[in-house]
Amino acid sequence: MRSDDIDGFYADLSALEADAHLLLDYRIECTGDPRAAAAHLASEQSTAQWQRVGVDEDYRPRFAAKVVDLEVETVLSGTSYPLDPPVNEPVSVCRVRIAHPYANFGPRIPNLLSAVLGEGAFFAPGIPVVKLLDLECPDAFLAHFDGPQYGLQGLRDLWRIHDRPFFFGVIKPNIGLAPAPFAELGLAAWRGGLDIAKDDEMLADPDWSPIAERSRLLGAARQQAEQETGVPKVYLANITDEVDRLVELHDIVVANGANAAMVNALPVGLSGVRGLRKHAKVPLVAHFPVIAAMSRLPCFGVHTRVLTKLQRLAGFDVIIMPGFGPRMMTAEDEVLECIAACTEPMGPIKPALPVPGGSDSAATLTSVHDKIASPDFGFVPGRGVFSHPHGPTGGAASLRQAWDAIAAGVAVREHAAQHPELAAALEAFG
Amino acid sequence: MRSDDIDGFYADLSALEADAHLLLDYRIECTGDPRAAAAHLASEQSTAQWQRVGVDEDYRPRFAAKVVDLEVETVLSGTSYPLDPPVNEPVSVCRVRIAHPYANFGPRIPNLLSAVLGEGAFFAPGIPVVKLLDLECPDAFLAHFDGPQYGLQGLRDLWRIHDRPFFFGVIKPNIGLAPAPFAELGLAAWRGGLDIAKDDEMLADPDWSPIAERSRLLGAARQQAEQETGVPKVYLANITDEVDRLVELHDIVVANGANAAMVNALPVGLSGVRGLRKHAKVPLVAHFPVIAAMSRLPCFGVHTRVLTKLQRLAGFDVIIMPGFGPRMMTAEDEVLECIAACTEPMGPIKPALPVPGGSDSAATLTSVHDKIASPDFGFVPGRGVFSHPHGPTGGAASLRQAWDAIAAGVAVREHAAQHPELAAALEAFG
């Protein structure tokens, strides 16, 4: 690009129509002139060739993505990560804010992903290392999406869970157990005080546990648990499958008594989820496979906050995400940012329930609650309920006992003295 | 995991039923004992808790993924990439081969992705850095998939392109140009000898170029070009959109005269593509947005070869991928591995046409052909055709002239002396 060509990819944000642009924040490591590199980042994701040969025209004013902010943070002697082919020259670390006119593609998830995480982002000349850190959509864009059907408050009302976290449990053994004993485990956990018994994200519709049979038995067990306990109980069925089976499986499990449906968001595709959302009668729950493959490295790929926002936009009521603690290899700030991405204002889109998960149990509830500083979250142990020494009833009870202590301002360890299930959980998992 | 628990996640490959297992090759960087880490990698992607509390049972023999090979390559003082939270201890670099019993989830793309790139791969205790390098599927698994409808040879027969590369061109300006002048550019390029004029991956169905109108004009222009030249011509329409519009858009563009359809594979989701394949009447073409976000780093994420195989499995006849040269930031070996993943034997699945792309022109054809050492590829310039100094007719002609030289064993530069379009291309792009 010539120097006067570069200017066509810069603009003052205040001069642009706010409702017509997405705002994208990238961190880049670029060779050469940062101003040229940022222009390439804008150009390659929009109008890379802005005129025909021999025609006096310029598509940039209306169609080009524009750099609206560029800040050079530092210069490194090479890229943060060794690459193949290697980059053997200094790179400038920059923050780039781009305003992208979304009329280039419209309110469509696949086209949005193609624009912000496509050839434009990852193959812009001179930018071998890039991470999309954030994405802001104007209300006019958001208004085209349904978002969560129930949302956080809707779930509280529907399931009568107030002023406390939502207690989920992943029924284990997750793989290999037949539907009948699987349902017994769910029932036992509901009896102990679990709100939501769920399928593991790897358990879908295999021959040895057909989802039709499993949902029938779990649906019946759930209704039995509701009768026994007098409170709503939820069976969250994992309907992750090929996109063209989602509606069918949703209908089967709901007819059989499941009252929430889980979809592994990226494996199925966010667009497939958006389609399911139009049909869904029950809350939709996201699980997070594949996301870490593009988000773990601090300076490459896409920040999980962006993918959290997109899952909310696609229509998930609940978003399960990697949570706190060393097991989940995620910085505490990042978990909190993803939780905020679920609940912060987002134009007409309802808040989703964040569920930070990973090796939790009654022993970790205080710490998770302290970090979030709010009861607006879901807590999702697996082994913390289903490997509890007293079995799932005791495992579920230990969670509720831990919460009772927290709500009363009593130390969990102290509360355990009168509550053997809690004591056993602290002993086994603490 | 206790040491005797670890053993349950190891097996001799020869003792396993070959037709019942996927073979997964990972490169990992692990803390602690590599044998335990590899067991976790197998465990977390399959039967993480293999027995109920108080029940004498073991789901591992039938359901566990098993480590069938583990090789410690070296020990590093820390991970190859700085992480947050940091890993401040030595790591062993290992190759791990895992045999995963696919009856755990069946021949479903979302469930396969969840197994091999899910929590099991990226959150296995002690493995902060992991890359899925390869995936081998037995014929019994592959047989459930349609794969490419035409395949490489089918495309040669359909489009009567023999003993030479397929010449694609991305019509540019890609964004902002109205359908009528866009069709004129396509027609001009077909007249010059282009086989396939295509939409840019960022051009789909915007208000300023509705795909119905664009495909009608391009379809008519294509038929005119066929009449004038007497050979088949292809208009490749980009139908990338929400999954629930793919079939509708396919039908519209085909009725209007498009004879191939492009889908941005990962943005739409491979499962959505597999669904479209069941309906498609024309060849399906993949484009590569998002893939680099999870594949560029040599030691993290997933190798592009795996995603190439999965695109072929999902049903793409043509796979556009980052090609040779510094612009595409991809190692030459990796491009060749992806090309091989398109064409190598894959049980009952037909070969796909590989199209390595990126800033190509008549000036790069010799080098690309030399690297691939076969005419079984597609060549996809954008500006190399549509920014050619003589316009698209000259740009397309320059490609065919370059190939004539290569086929005749004459140096392209020498051939240019008698061919002004080729000379102009070498001058502009060489």
Side-chain angles (χ1 to χ4, degrees):
Chain A
M1 247 189 278
R2 294 189 316 256
S3 135
D4 54 333
D5 292 339
I6 289 173
D7 293 341
F9 292 102
Y10 280 78
D12 281 330
L13 181 56
S14 60
L16 299 175
E17 191 190 345
D19 251 11
H21 290 81
L22 307 177
L23 291 179
L24 312 171
D25 289 312
Y26 292 96
R27 179 196 182 280
I28 65 171
E29 299 182 8
C30 64
T31 57
D33 173 25
R35 194 172 148 77
H40 278 299
L41 182 61
S43 159
E44 293 292 329
Q45 67 181 250
S46 58
T47 176
Q49 181 186 322
W50 63 86
Q51 63 178 158
R52 283 167 286 176
V53 173
V55 180
D56 183 18
E57 61 187 354
D58 187 345
Y59 291 104
R60 288 174 298 175
R62 176 170 164 197
F63 296 100
K66 313 285 194 315
V67 180
V68 295
D69 196 30
L70 169 65
E71 194 179 325
V72 181
E73 295 188 333
T74 186
V75 175
L76 306 174
S77 59
T79 51
S80 290
Y81 310 120
L83 298 172
D84 183 16
V87 175
N88 296 316
E89 56 186 301
V91 293
S92 301
V93 177
C94 309
R95 294 295 186 108
V96 184
R97 171 164 271 210
I98 286 179
H100 194 123
Y102 66 80
N104 285 5
F105 50 83
R108 301 168 164 102
I109 293 175
N111 306 271
L112 168 66
L113 291 171
S114 302
V116 305
L117 292 172
E119 195 167 343
F122 290 96
F123 298 92
I127 309 180
V129 172
V130 56
K131 187 166 187 170
L132 176 62
L133 296 179
D134 206 354
L135 163 69
E136 274 180 48
C137 305
D139 287 2
F141 184 81
L142 296 172
H144 292 277
F145 292 83
D146 292 321
Q149 182 172 183
Y150 295 89
L152 205 162
Q153 189 55 47
L155 295 178
R156 288 207 176 281
D157 296 339
L158 183 68
W159 296 338
R160 303 196 339 241
I161 296 171
H162 297 290
D163 305 317
R164 65 168 175 84
F166 294 64
F167 291 107
F168 293 69
V170 191
I171 302 177
K172 307 258 179 180
N174 55 331
I175 298 289
L177 189 63
F182 195 84
E184 286 171 18
L185 292 175
L187 180 59
W190 282 315
R191 283 176 172 151
L194 199 72
D195 298 311
I196 302 131
K198 71 179 282 296
D199 293 338
D200 188 81
E201 86 277 7
M202 281 309 305
L203 173 59
D205 189 21
D207 297 342
W208 44 269
S209 181
I211 196 167
E213 183 186 352
R214 192 171 73 247
S215 58
R216 190 171 50 76
L217 296 181
L218 270 291
R222 176 183 74 76
Q223 283 152 356
Q224 182 180 340
E226 288 189 342
Q227 283 166 4
E228 289 180 17
T229 62
V231 295
K233 297 292 183 183
V234 183
Y235 168 52
L236 171 53
N238 179 16
I239 63 169
T240 299
D241 206 303
E242 300 293 357
V243 174
D244 57 13
R245 286 201 74 205
L246 293 179
V247 165
E248 172 197 350
L249 290 183
H250 166 279
D251 290 351
I252 289 172
V253 303
V254 170
N256 285 352
N259 46 354
M262 184 166 82
V263 177
N264 296 349
L266 264 70
V268 161
L270 292 170
S271 180
V273 172
R274 188 183 185 190
L276 174 65
R277 163 67 178 86
K278 294 177 187 167
H279 176 86
K281 305 290 181 288
V282 297
L284 297 180
V285 178
H287 203 282
F288 58 78
V290 177
I291 289 178
M294 60 178 92
S295 66
R296 175 165 298 159
L297 297 190
C299 307
F300 191 78
V302 53
H303 196 283
T304 46
R305 140 193 335 116
V306 175
L307 297 175
T308 304
K309 287 183 179 182
L310 292 177
Q311 289 175 82
R312 182 174 164 193
L313 202 55
F316 283 113
D317 295 284
V318 179
I319 299 174
I320 302 177
M321 58 183 72
F324 303 102
R327 164 72 204 284
M328 299 313 282
M329 308 179 199
T330 306
E332 188 173 314
D333 281 354
E334 184 173 341
V335 180
L336 292 173
E337 286 157 358
C338 290
I339 290 171
C342 288
T343 57
E344 70 195 3
M346 194 182 191
I349 306 296
K350 288 178 185 161
L353 173 71
V355 185
S359 296
D360 282 305
S361 71
T364 64
L365 183 59
T366 303
S367 145
V368 169
H369 177 251
D370 285 351
K371 289 182 205 299
I372 299 177
S374 151
D376 284 340
F377 67 94
F379 194 67
V380 61
R383 288 169 250 190
V385 171
F386 293 94
S387 271
H388 187 281
H390 301 187
T393 304
S398 72
L399 301 182
R400 301 300 296 267
Q401 291 163 1
W403 178 255
D404 290 343
I406 293 166
V410 174
V412 164
R413 187 157 294 283
E414 189 179 314
H415 197 65
Q418 274 72 49
H419 295 87
E421 295 87 353
L422 182 55
L426 300 183
E427 169 74 18
F429 311 117
Chain B
M1 249 189 276
R2 296 190 314 259
S3 133
D4 54 333
D5 291 340
I6 290 173
D7 293 342
F9 292 102
Y10 279 78
D12 281 330
L13 181 56
S14 61
L16 299 175
E17 191 189 343
D19 252 11
H21 291 80
L22 306 177
L23 291 178
L24 312 171
D25 290 311
Y26 292 97
R27 180 197 180 279
I28 65 172
E29 298 182 8
C30 63
T31 57
D33 174 25
R35 196 174 146 76
H40 278 300
L41 182 62
S43 160
E44 293 292 328
Q45 68 181 253
S46 58
T47 176
Q49 180 184 323
W50 61 86
Q51 62 179 156
R52 283 167 285 174
V53 174
V55 180
D56 183 18
E57 61 187 353
D58 188 345
Y59 290 104
R60 288 174 297 176
R62 176 171 164 196
F63 295 100
K66 314 285 194 315
V67 180
V68 296
D69 196 30
L70 170 64
E71 195 178 326
V72 181
E73 294 188 334
T74 187
V75 176
L76 305 175
S77 59
T79 51
S80 290
Y81 310 120
L83 297 172
D84 182 17
V87 175
N88 295 317
E89 56 185 303
V91 293
S92 301
V93 176
C94 309
R95 293 295 186 107
V96 185
R97 171 165 272 209
I98 285 179
H100 193 121
Y102 66 80
N104 286 5
F105 51 83
R108 301 168 165 102
I109 292 174
N111 306 271
L112 168 66
L113 291 171
S114 301
V116 306
L117 292 172
E119 194 167 345
F122 289 96
F123 298 92
I127 309 182
V129 172
V130 56
K131 187 165 186 169
L132 176 62
L133 296 179
D134 206 355
L135 162 70
E136 274 180 46
C137 305
D139 286 2
F141 183 82
L142 296 172
H144 292 277
F145 292 84
D146 292 323
Q149 181 172 185
Y150 295 89
L152 204 162
Q153 189 55 48
L155 295 177
R156 287 208 177 281
D157 296 340
L158 183 68
W159 294 339
R160 303 198 335 244
I161 296 170
H162 297 289
D163 306 316
R164 65 168 175 85
F166 294 64
F167 291 107
F168 293 69
V170 191
I171 301 177
K172 306 259 179 178
N174 54 330
I175 298 288
L177 189 63
F182 196 84
E184 284 171 20
L185 293 175
L187 179 60
W190 283 315
R191 283 176 171 152
L194 200 71
D195 298 311
I196 302 133
K198 71 180 281 296
D199 291 339
D200 187 82
E201 85 277 7
M202 281 309 306
L203 173 60
D205 189 22
D207 297 342
W208 44 269
S209 181
I211 196 167
E213 183 186 352
R214 191 171 75 246
S215 59
R216 190 171 51 76
L217 296 182
L218 269 291
R222 177 183 73 76
Q223 283 152 356
Q224 182 180 340
E226 288 189 342
Q227 283 167 3
E228 289 180 16
T229 63
V231 294
K233 297 293 183 183
V234 182
Y235 168 52
L236 171 53
N238 179 17
I239 63 169
T240 298
D241 206 302
E242 302 292 359
V243 174
D244 57 12
R245 286 201 75 205
L246 292 180
V247 164
E248 172 197 350
L249 290 183
H250 166 278
D251 290 352
I252 290 172
V253 303
V254 171
N256 284 352
N259 46 353
M262 185 166 82
V263 177
N264 296 350
L266 264 70
V268 161
L270 292 171
S271 180
V273 172
R274 188 183 184 190
L276 174 65
R277 163 66 177 86
K278 294 177 186 166
H279 176 86
K281 304 290 179 290
V282 297
L284 296 180
V285 178
H287 204 281
F288 58 78
V290 177
I291 289 178
M294 60 179 91
S295 67
R296 174 164 300 159
L297 297 191
C299 306
F300 191 79
V302 53
H303 197 284
T304 45
R305 158 205 304 128
V306 175
L307 297 175
T308 304
K309 287 182 179 182
L310 292 177
Q311 289 177 82
R312 183 175 163 192
L313 202 56
F316 283 114
D317 294 284
V318 178
I319 300 173
I320 301 177
M321 59 183 72
F324 304 101
R327 163 73 202 284
M328 299 314 283
M329 308 180 200
T330 307
E332 189 173 315
D333 281 355
E334 183 173 342
V335 180
L336 292 172
E337 285 155 359
C338 290
I339 290 171
C342 289
T343 57
E344 69 194 4
M346 192 182 194
I349 306 297
K350 288 179 187 164
L353 174 71
V355 184
S359 294
D360 282 305
S361 71
T364 64
L365 182 60
T366 303
S367 145
V368 171
H369 177 252
D370 285 351
K371 290 182 206 301
I372 300 177
S374 151
D376 283 340
F377 67 95
F379 194 68
V380 61
R383 289 169 248 190
V385 171
F386 293 93
S387 270
H388 187 281
H390 300 186
T393 304
S398 72
L399 302 182
R400 301 298 297 264
Q401 291 162 1
W403 178 255
D404 289 344
I406 293 166
V410 173
V412 164
R413 189 156 293 284
E414 190 178 314
H415 197 65
Q418 274 72 49
H419 296 88
E421 295 87 354
L422 182 54
L426 299 184
E427 170 76 18
F429 311 117

